[in-house]
Structures are given as C-alpha cells and as structure tokens.
Amino acid sequence: MTAIIQTIDTPDGAFTILADERQRVLSSGWTADSDAIVARLGVRHRPTEIQVGETDAAAAARAFYDGDIRAIDSVAVAQYGTPLQMTGWAALREIAPGSPLTYTSFAGRLANPRAVRAAASICARNAPALFVPCHRVLRTDGTLGGFAWGLDVKQRLLAREASGR
C-alpha cells in the first residue's frame, strides 16, 4: 500500500496526517515526526511506501481549527482492530463536540459499563487522532486522563469544542 503524508501547522503545533490511496486517514497526531505517526499503526497495516503530498483530511483539520468543529466528522478513516475496538472507534465518532464522556460512560456505550480499562485501551490505540475524537473521553472524576499527544493538546481541543470554536 502506498500512503500520503502531510504535516500542517495548527494552533496546537505541527499536525501530521497519514492517508491511504483512497484518502482515508490511517494515522494522525500532533507531531512533525512521520515515524511517530507510522508507529501508531500495527506492523501489518503500515504502508509499504509513503509519499509527501496533499491529503483531503488536511482541509477538514484546518476548518476545525478555523472554528468549524464539525468539519472532522465526515473525514474517512481506515482502522484495523478487534470487533470491540472497531465498535469503540465508531462510538468515539458519535460523541458530540463539547459533550465529553467519562471512560465509564464510554464503556456503557460499548454495552459493558464495567469495561473501563477496555474503553481506555480503545482510546489509547486510536491512530487517527482528531478524526476519531478519543480526546472526548475523560476520567470518571472529570480529569483529563491520558492522551498520546499530550494533556495540553487534549485540554485545548476540549476547550475549543466547548466554546464552539
């Protein structure tokens, strides 16, 4: 598989997007380090060739940062995982901006409110960050919890979504 990689500037720093030949986002995050983006994918699902180019998702990311917080909703992604992970990643895309869930509530959406660790693992293994908004899940006490790209980025994303921009 050949993939396209693009890094754009955002208010939260460099944001890199790796997309497949169909423009589906495979992996993304707040770094200019393309190796870190590729490393978010399982070895079997890593592209054999990567070319620097323009991704369709970059326009949605820019629109998001320009105030259209729903611009990321329709970006196509390609994820590979267990049935529970696939269900979880789909459920993450249904969390409304500005209305974060706790890990317990997120686990409840997966039909197992006791599966908090599984819910956290689904978030941690989410490669197309921003487009599959794992940043919208918080600890049960309302604190931020973890985020692969840093709690400062997670906090700013949540604040941007809470304000509607």
Side-chain angles (χ1 to χ4, degrees):
M1 163 183 44
T2 299
I4 303 162
I5 197 158
Q6 180 179 13
T7 301
I8 62 172
D9 291 324
T10 75
D12 292 322
F15 183 71
T16 300
I17 302 162
L18 181 69
D20 68 11
E21 64 278 348
R22 293 173 46 198
Q23 289 288 334
R24 298 176 303 174
V25 176
L26 300 168
S27 182
S28 55
W30 289 265
T31 181
D33 181 354
S34 58
D35 290 339
I37 296 299
V38 173
R40 300 283 299 163
L41 299 172
V43 174
R44 291 189 344 224
H45 302 292
R46 291 181 185 167
T48 53
E49 184 181 336
I50 299 174
Q51 301 172 350
V52 175
E54 295 284 324
T55 63
D56 292 348
R62 287 184 180 111
F64 173 86
Y65 277 104
D66 286 342
D68 181 1
I69 58 174
R70 290 287 193 176
I72 60 173
D73 293 353
S74 61
V75 172
V77 299
Q79 292 179 281
Y80 308 95
T82 67
L84 180 61
Q85 287 171 327
M86 298 300 287
T87 298
W89 293 327
L92 286 171
R93 295 197 89 179
E94 295 172 4
I95 302 171
S99 302
L101 297 178
T102 64
Y103 287 107
T104 303
S105 296
F106 179 56
R109 286 195 178 189
L110 304 178
N112 191 347
R114 292 188 198 157
V116 175
R117 284 194 177 136
S121 176
I122 287 166
C123 291
R125 295 180 193 277
N126 176 46
L130 184 63
F131 306 106
V132 178
C134 58
H135 64 273
R136 295 181 186 156
V137 183
L138 308 171
R139 286 185 175 155
T140 303
D141 65 3
T143 58
L144 293 178
F147 190 58
W149 306 106
L151 294 183
D152 55 335
V153 172
K154 182 174 184 172
Q155 186 173 32
R156 288 191 299 266
L157 291 170
L158 291 169
R160 184 172 282 107
E161 291 177 347
S163 71
R165 38 180 299 110

